[in-house]
Amino acid sequence: MLKYVAKRLGLALLTVFVVTTAIFFMTNILPGDPATRILGNLAEPENVAKLRKDLGLDRPLLAQYWTWLSNTLQGDLGNSIQHRVPVVDYILPAIGLSLRLAAIAFLLTVPLSIIGGITAGVMRGKPVDRVITVGGLSAAVVPEFVWAVLLVLIVGVRLKWLPTSAYPGPDEGLLTYVYHLILPSIALVLVLFGYISRIARAGVIEAFDSDYVRTATLKGLPRRKVVNKHVLRNALLPSIAVIASQVPYLIGGLVAVERVFNYPGFGTILIKAVQYRDYPVLQSSVLIVAVVIVLAQLIADILFAVLNPRIRQGIER
Amino acid sequence: MTQASALRAAAVLERKRIRKERFAQLRRNPAFILGALLLGMWLIAALFGNFLTRFEPGGVDVLNVNKRPSDEFWFGTDNIGRDVYSRVVAGTRPIIFMAFSATAIGTLFGTTLGLLTGYMKGRFDVIVMRILDAISALPVIVIALLALAALEGQSEVITVLIIGFVFTPIIARTVRAAVLYEAELDYVAAAKLRTEKMPHILFVEILPNVLPPIIVEFTIRLGYAVFAIATLSFLGVGVELGSPNWGSQVAENYSGIFGNLWWATVFPAGAIATLAIGINLIADSIMEAFEI
């Protein structure tokens, strides 16, 4: 078990390192000079040269990489070019806002899609199954921003059931925040539901086809007991793995949904950083995204191991 | 020899029969028919858009701003008086062309890489897969934003290349899994004994047998390419500003929905949804028919 965790941790660190390196070289090796891009093509050459020096762009690339890497490891992400403040101070509050949205979306998605997937699996081949499976996957391929504008129009503007703004202002109670975030969360739920419920359904079906469920049925256990005691436990395992794999999609979705709702979260910062060519913010944002994703995967791997006796006791590998 | 060739002919016939049966099953599936109709409709709009538009898609008409859908303006007009119907039709070609190109690039490189890594196990496989894993850990949208910021301009070509690049490891993984299985089979061993060269084994012997998962992966990725391109154009990156992209149309008009001016947003949004769902229904039915 310990060995398994150590191996996963090593892989996670390696992944973050590869991504970090890729990010750095992507923004620095590609054609075009950041200083010129920041100041525009009409800028005076002296100004460009000065900015290059300020940003340290006149130094050899490997030296730049080393400085950037060691600063990053010490928690210094540099200064925002656009706002002239440390990137950390600028990004952290926005991440907090995005985390709230993501948390509500996750709290809605996970139980809904697991219940949906289990229902579909138990009702396999029946119309309910078709509706959940085909409907879920069809909803999943429609971009979040499309769902978001349709939800605002139908649920917010027409039916007036939920507020159309996602951010009630800085000094509101927790419940008000949650209430305002339900509509944007639903847009994310609609995209995530299909994938997670499909895996939960597959887990149920696989369990139903297994020898131990047949044994349980043949020894005369009522169907309800077979489902509760034998099917569900095994069906949930693969769902955990797939939930973690949805984190990248969730982050991608956040960017689009925050834009629709004009929500001042992480996605909004990312888009602004792209528009203003704010490289320190951009690099740091992508780094944070990478760390979050790798962390989610790591937690899922460990949870999977804890719940799966075969890995826990080191029988596999 | 005669016996061997007779056996081989029988195997080929059997394979053809199975394939035929599967296509017949596909054609009877209502989900497939619906998907094909939706995709077909948009393909026609993409190919013959020039004949289907009613007004100049970029034509501003200050006398007809925010008009409701009517006999004259089927889908209404947007906030600067452009005909929404004509813009939706004109927006078909860029998204379909970009999505197909990006997916084709990803499939081409992904298949080649998958064949190579699946066949040449060992260190090469491990290293390549590890790097690919790291890259595909990031969301497509984030990679695209990063690259579009680093590269000059908002060019469609960059968007297509990035999405193709992001798809490559995903497709490579699927192909690799299929190749790992195929490489153990007798016909590959036979080809090796005949001292066939590796490219021949990979592309002539193995490739035809791993086509079904590649086709499914292509269709799924095509849907996701539509998803990504629409989202990027909604965010205002990756497409030419002012071009009639569906995502840009939603971005330009969605503030109107708060005032109940729904048509300039709902029609392009619905276009994105129906195209994506149509492709997904096709992918799903193929998967069902080929039991992948």
Side-chain angles (χ1 to χ4, degrees):
Chain A
M1 177 72 191
L2 256 180
K3 208 173 147 193
Y4 174 83
V5 172
K7 197 175 155 196
R8 293 285 137 175
L9 194 68
L11 280 178
L13 286 175
L14 188 71
T15 309
V16 172
F17 177 73
V18 172
V19 171
T20 337
T21 313
I23 296 165
F24 181 85
F25 286 100
M26 236 169 131
T27 38
N28 284 282
I29 259 184
L30 292 171
D33 165 41
T36 320
R37 263 174 276 153
I38 291 161
L39 294 174
N41 283 327
L42 301 172
E44 300 285 335
E46 304 92 79
N47 292 344
V48 174
K50 188 176 174 301
L51 184 64
R52 279 183 63 86
K53 205 163 164 46
D54 288 350
L55 295 172
L57 294 172
D58 51 344
R59 297 164 56 217
L61 199 60
L62 275 178
Q64 287 183 47
Y65 175 61
W66 179 247
T67 316
W68 183 71
L69 192 66
S70 57
N71 284 348
T72 304
L73 283 176
Q74 289 163 34
D76 175 11
L77 297 174
N79 290 317
S80 157
I81 293 174
Q82 190 200 351
H83 298 276
R84 313 235 166 235
V85 294
V87 172
V88 180
D89 300 348
Y90 176 56
I91 282 188
L92 275 185
I95 289 181
L97 287 177
S98 290
L99 271 182
R100 282 183 202 165
L101 176 53
I104 293 170
F106 243 71
L107 285 178
L108 290 173
T109 305
V110 172
L112 275 179
S113 38
I114 287 182
I115 291 171
I118 289 173
T119 312
V122 174
M123 305 277 220
R124 176 187 189 178
K126 302 219 171 81
V128 181
D129 176 26
R130 284 297 275 184
V131 169
I132 292 178
T133 319
V134 177
L137 276 181
S138 297
V141 294
V142 176
E144 295 90 353
F145 79 92
V146 170
W147 284 127
V149 294
L150 295 179
L151 285 167
V152 168
L153 177 71
I154 296 166
V155 183
V157 175
R158 282 289 171 90
L159 301 170
K160 296 192 172 39
W161 284 352
L162 286 165
T164 53
S165 74
Y167 190 60
D171 299 311
E172 296 286 340
L174 180 67
L175 276 179
T176 319
Y177 275 123
V178 173
Y179 182 57
H180 280 256
L181 285 176
I182 293 177
L183 202 54
S185 301
I186 296 175
L188 296 167
V189 173
L190 281 165
V191 172
L192 296 174
F193 175 85
Y195 298 110
I196 302 178
S197 63
R198 161 169 276 202
I199 301 296
R201 175 182 179 273
V204 169
I205 287 174
E206 204 189 313
F208 265 124
D209 290 346
S210 69
D211 289 340
Y212 58 83
V213 166
R214 198 179 56 177
T215 310
T217 313
L218 287 178
K219 80 181 179 195
L221 273 189
R223 189 175 155 86
R224 173 174 290 275
K225 248 190 178 153
V226 173
V227 170
N228 287 343
K229 282 195 78 166
H230 296 277
V231 173
L232 291 190
R233 191 180 291 186
N234 291 287
L236 287 181
L237 263 183
S239 312
I240 293 167
V242 82
I243 288 167
S245 72
Q246 296 306 307
V247 170
Y249 296 98
L250 178 67
I251 295 175
L254 276 177
V255 179
V257 169
E258 285 182 6
R259 175 66 167 260
V260 173
F261 287 89
N262 210 358
Y263 186 69
F266 178 75
T268 309
I269 281 194
L270 193 64
I271 298 289
K272 272 194 192 148
V274 171
Q275 281 164 349
Y276 293 99
R277 304 277 187 264
D278 196 340
Y279 290 99
V281 172
L282 199 57
Q283 286 175 337
S284 313
S285 311
V286 180
L287 177 66
I288 291 167
V289 169
V291 171
V292 168
I293 289 168
V294 169
L295 218 59
Q297 193 60 54
L298 186 68
I299 293 171
D301 282 346
I302 293 174
L303 207 61
F304 196 76
V306 171
L307 292 175
N308 190 336
R310 266 172 305 203
I311 300 183
R312 193 171 57 216
Q313 290 163 11
I315 294 171
E316 260 180 352
R317 261 164 279 174
Chain B
M1 179 238 150
T2 40
Q3 204 188 352
S5 61
L7 268 177
R8 194 177 303 160
V12 169
L13 273 179
E14 174 69 7
R15 191 173 272 187
K16 269 191 184 158
R17 191 186 61 78
I18 292 174
R19 193 163 287 183
K20 220 174 173 180
E21 221 166 64
R22 283 178 169 165
F23 277 116
Q25 190 194 340
L26 203 55
R27 280 199 302 270
R28 283 194 303 266
N29 188 340
F32 179 78
I33 296 170
L34 180 61
L37 282 176
L38 287 172
L39 180 62
M41 174 179 85
W42 290 121
L43 282 178
I44 289 171
L47 288 173
F48 305 109
N50 308 5
F51 307 105
L52 296 169
T53 48
R54 292 164 47 85
F55 295 88
E56 173 59 34
V60 175
D61 181 356
V62 284
L63 296 176
N64 285 305
V65 172
N66 289 331
K67 288 278 187 230
R68 293 187 153 272
S70 62
D71 284 348
E72 193 186 1
F73 305 108
W74 291 352
F75 292 176
T77 62
D78 69 5
N79 50 13
I80 50 173
R82 293 176 295 192
D83 180 41
V84 176
Y85 166 75
S86 301
R87 286 182 71 72
V88 168
V89 171
T92 319
R93 194 174 292 175
I95 196 164
I96 286 198
F97 184 70
M98 286 170 79
F100 267 98
S101 318
T103 315
I105 290 172
T107 309
L108 194 69
F109 286 110
T111 302
T112 312
L113 210 59
L115 282 169
L116 282 173
T117 52
Y119 187 69
M120 302 199 315
K121 279 165 274 184
R123 187 152 294 176
F124 173 75
D125 178 32
V126 172
I127 294 173
V128 172
M129 288 321 281
R130 187 58 57 209
I131 296 172
L132 294 183
D133 271 352
I135 296 169
S136 57
L138 290 174
V140 186
I141 303 295
V142 173
I143 300 180
L145 285 176
L146 185 69
L148 285 163
L151 292 161
E152 208 51 57
Q154 311 227 322
S155 148
E156 276 94 346
V157 179
I158 300 177
T159 313
V160 166
L161 288 178
I162 293 166
I163 295 176
F165 170 74
V166 176
F167 283 178
T168 300
I170 304 169
I171 294 165
R173 180 177 301 281
T174 308
V175 177
R176 176 177 171 269
V179 171
L180 278 178
Y181 170 77
E182 293 287 330
E184 301 298 321
L185 298 183
D186 286 345
Y187 74 90
V188 176
K192 274 186 206 162
L193 285 177
R194 289 200 309 269
T195 64
E196 299 282 8
K197 296 216 165 52
M198 197 174 78
H200 176 90
I201 297 179
L202 288 184
F203 290 97
V204 182
E205 301 283 347
I206 297 181
L207 183 61
N209 292 308
V210 295
L211 270 184
I214 296 177
I215 292 168
V216 169
E217 199 58 50
F218 179 89
T219 330
I220 294 176
R221 287 303 129 202
L222 186 64
Y224 204 71
V226 168
F227 188 114
I229 293 165
T231 303
L232 284 172
S233 58
F234 170 73
L235 294 173
V237 292
V239 291
E240 227 52 68
L241 281 178
S243 66
N245 275 288
W246 291 343
S248 322
Q249 289 171 42
V250 175
E252 287 159 12
N253 291 296
Y254 79 90
S255 54
I257 57 177
F258 297 100
N260 223 347
L261 302 169
W262 53 270
W263 49 89
T265 304
V266 167
F267 287 111
I272 296 167
T274 47
L275 176 60
I277 290 175
I279 294 171
N280 178 54
L281 288 175
I282 294 175
D284 228 32
S285 330
I286 298 180
M287 242 191 303
E288 208 177 291
F290 283 81
E291 289 158 16
I292 295 168

